[in-house]
Amino acid sequence: MIAPGTTKGSKAFSLMELVVVCAVIAILMGLLTTGIGRARALSKQTLCLSNLHQISAALAMFRNANNAYPEDDPEIDSEDPLRLRDQLWDYTKNKDVFICPSDREAKSTDDPFYDSYTRFYVKQKDTGVLTYMLSCPRHRGGRFAST
């Protein structure tokens, strides 16, 4: 016997088939969003390393032009310290180079001189030469040197 309102050989989906299709779509979406999140984090890390490379190249050009590294100690001339960003402006021409894309604090600060990267000097044991190092505290291994 055929139910009223249906024809023989109806091509409609049953409720169980719709539930299975929705479950498969949900699983695929879960896998896709995980992959997209990883790709986004990797792209931010790549941009961060590119920023460090650009700052390192600017430091090398500054050192070649001035035979010294830029001064970036806020304790020196506490009246109006000259920031690293100001001294390297002729070589970078971009203030965003000094901000890590993964740095959430940079978006909430009003400090125009905010800088995401850590700078320090390392003395080489064999030669005694000071090396100017840059690193990103958010990405392990994000480190560049300029001698």
Side-chain angles (χ1 to χ4, degrees):
M1 177 176 238
I2 299 175
T6 61
T7 60
K8 188 175 181 178
S10 175
K11 298 191 180 201
F13 287 108
S14 70
L15 181 61
M16 185 56 99
E17 290 171 332
L18 287 175
V19 168
V20 168
V21 168
C22 287
V24 168
I25 289 173
I27 290 170
L28 291 175
M29 289 296 290
L31 293 173
L32 184 64
T33 54
T34 303
I36 289 174
R38 287 181 186 159
R40 182 176 292 137
L42 188 60
S43 69
K44 286 183 179 183
Q45 182 178 5
T46 303
L47 182 58
C48 176
L49 287 174
S50 174
N51 287 349
L52 284 171
H53 180 73
Q54 289 180 38
I55 296 170
S56 180
L59 280 168
M61 289 186 282
F62 184 93
R63 186 165 190 275
N64 287 339
N66 300 302
N67 292 327
Y69 287 112
E71 296 294 330
D72 190 38
D73 189 356
E75 301 302 319
I76 299 173
D77 295 328
S78 59
E79 273 301 307
D80 187 23
L82 192 58
R83 304 290 177 160
L84 183 67
R85 183 183 302 182
D86 297 331
Q87 295 179 61
L88 295 181
W89 180 254
D90 291 336
Y91 306 103
T92 60
K93 302 282 190 204
N94 184 359
K95 67 180 177 71
D96 294 335
V97 168
F98 294 91
I99 305 294
C100 174
S102 298
D103 189 358
R104 292 184 180 138
E105 186 178 331
K107 295 174 182 154
S108 63
T109 185
D110 293 332
D111 182 7
F113 300 110
Y114 184 81
D115 187 354
S116 297
Y117 301 111
T118 306
R119 295 178 290 283
F120 51 92
Y121 286 99
V122 174
K123 191 174 206 176
Q124 295 178 3
K125 290 181 183 179
D126 53 346
T127 61
V129 175
L130 282 177
T131 302
Y132 197 86
M133 300 288 292
L134 295 164
S135 69
C136 179
R138 286 152 210 83
H139 299 112
R140 296 176 189 248
R143 190 170 284 204
F144 274 91
S146 181
T147 55

